[in-house]
Each structure stands twice: as structure tokens, then as C-alpha cells.
Amino acid sequence: MRASRLALALAATALTALAAIPTVAGAQDGPAAASYKAPRNAWGQPDLQGVWTNATITPLERPAQFSDLVIPEAQARAMEQANASQNAEGLKPTDPNAKVTDLPVDCGRGFRGTDCGYNSFWTDPGTRVIRINGQARSSIIVDPPNGKLPAMTPEARQRLAQRFSRNNPRAFDGPESRSLGERCILSFGTSAGPPMLPLLYNNTYQIVQNRDEIAILVEMVHDVRIIRLNAKPLPASVKQWMGDSIGRWEGDTLVVETVNMRPEQGLRGASGGTLKVTERLTRVAPDQILYRFTVEDPATYVAPFTGEVAMNATKGPIYEYACHEGNYALEGILAGARALEKEGRTPTSDPVADLAGEGGL
């Protein structure tokens, strides 16, 4: 179902998503009316319920060709047209007689060699640039002003390098050493959140509210976030997938503070054990929610950073992502590692090298 390096590539490139199937444009085509007032539910809360998508071709970090957050509409249209052309190229069928060693060295979107397992038919990252208040955005990150992630601490750089190394000696020890996405525990990247960021596909969320809780069903790997309103935080010793999320209403904005994530979870090297994410969801139009988040992790980044994403209304329902069904890749990865070890060879993350008799998995 998934190969080892493909999973890493999905996690590493999901935030620079390109190509796919059109999504609902919604309110991103024009500025939200300053007088817009979100509808209320039965408890008098701003109503965020519905099915939403954050799919976009706007990357997390600002590309070098842009100096500002807001870009001219003509440039945004050019990006969307280039994406459509790349999408059309990616839709071309793969030669069924091709061997692993025939795969292209670089097939785009961050995939190389044996990671070239998806053509555009299977992906849905979005086709449009983020537009908020009618302004096209060059990056999800809005602070720092340069649209880049802050510098990482030396310890975090070392941790991240080991995690993605092809020669990580622990990478094939057992299922616990594999990624959360491969194990069908959480989404690739941080689609489940927090923060909830777009991926290569499955960028849909369903929000359901009651008086005391808000549930967010995440399409990718069928995650469900539970946000407890005006509740007491759990003890710091209680670590949870997606953390302990406590919400409150500030006017029309839902403010969610999340801590106590498990250390295996984080954003681009962030450690869930020291991570705090503050999210703000404001319904700014009938068919758009402005999603703003701030990430603080002093053990990983030298400063906090903030981003904004448009969540646009889309048609439901969300279909089940049956991750475990047919997931033969995880069993195959570990079985292949044991076979190599019996031959006295060291498993790596390079299948082509393995086929050439140089070791690898």
C-alpha cells in the first residue's frame, strides 16, 4: 500500500502540494464582507459546522521568487496555470512494463526514484492559491515576515537528520520505529493537527459542535480531534495523540490551545513533548473559515511562527479512509529487513541499491 521512502516523501512534501482536482473556490475569490456575522447554533455559538477543505497549492514557506505575503492576482493565476499543466503531465499513464530501476530520478513534487508511486489521478492537494480577503497568498506562514520557518536548535537539527537518514540503524527494528502514517495511527504530516495543514491528498474536515465539545473529523487516516470547551487541562503526564485541546470562544473566534502531544508527533522535527499550538478559527463568510495557528516549541525552533489557511466549504460526505485494509507495505518492509539481516546485510532505505546487491530495503 505504501513504501518506506514514499511515506517520508509524503510527509516532507505535503506542505508544498502541487497538482490535482479542482476544489470549491468559495469566498476566497473575493473579500469577506466586514459586516459578515457567522450564524449561531442552538447554544448561541458561532456555527462552524460543515465539511471544509484546506487544499491549496500555496506552500508552507514562501518561495524565493516572492518577497511579500500578498502577490498580484496575475502571478497567482500563472501559478495555477502552471499547476494545471503539471497536473496534466502527471495524469499520463506509467509504462506497465517499467522496472524499479527504470523509474525517473526525479518525477516532481519531491518524489525521486522508487518514490514515484503516484500519478496525479491519485492525488488531490488542490489547484488554487490561498485567497484571504480577496488577496492571493505566497505562503501559509505569515510570521516571521519573511514567510520562512525560524531556525532550528542544534539538537533539533540533529534529531531531524537522524530521523530522515537512509542509514538510520533503528529504522527497521519494528513497527514502532516506522512513521505514524505508515502505521495508520495518525495522518502523514500534520493533517490531523495541530496545526491542521494540507497534504498531497485527503484535505477534508467535518466539524460538529455541541455545547461542551467540538469534534473535527479528519479525512486522512480517519482521525477525530476532540476539543473540550472551557475545560480544565489534563495533567502534563497524560500525553495524547493530537494533544489535549482546550477551546474557548472570543467573540466569533474559536481559540484552541493544545499541549501534551505525544513526543512521536510534531511538525517538521518539532517534539510533541514541548510543543504548544494555538489555533483560531473564524467563519469569515458563508463558505470560508479563516484558520490561523501559532506554533511554539523552544526545544525545536528558536522562535514561534504563525500561519494562516483558508478552509473553504466543500461537498460531503467524507468517506472512510480504510488505512489498515490492504496495508501490506509495513509487513513487507519489516519482513524484507529481517531477510537482509539473515543474509548478513544491513537494511537501508534504498530499494535500488538492494536490487543491485549493495544492501538496502
Side-chain angles (χ1 to χ4, degrees), residues 82-107:
N83 174 75
S85 299
Q86 187 176 25
N87 189 39
E89 181 67 23
L91 283 170
K92 294 179 180 179
T94 302
D95 181 358
N97 297 315
K99 300 177 181 178
V100 172
T101 51
D102 295 329
L103 291 171
V105 174
D106 188 342
C107 55

Side-chain angles (χ1 to χ4, degrees), residues 23 28 52 93 112 115 121 125 176 197 208 288 320 322 329 358:
T23 57
Q28 63 180 348
W52 311 87
R112 297 176 61 86
D115 299 331
F121 176 84
E176 293 80 9
L197 293 175
V208 178
Q288 189 177 82
E320 179 189 7
E358 300 173 3

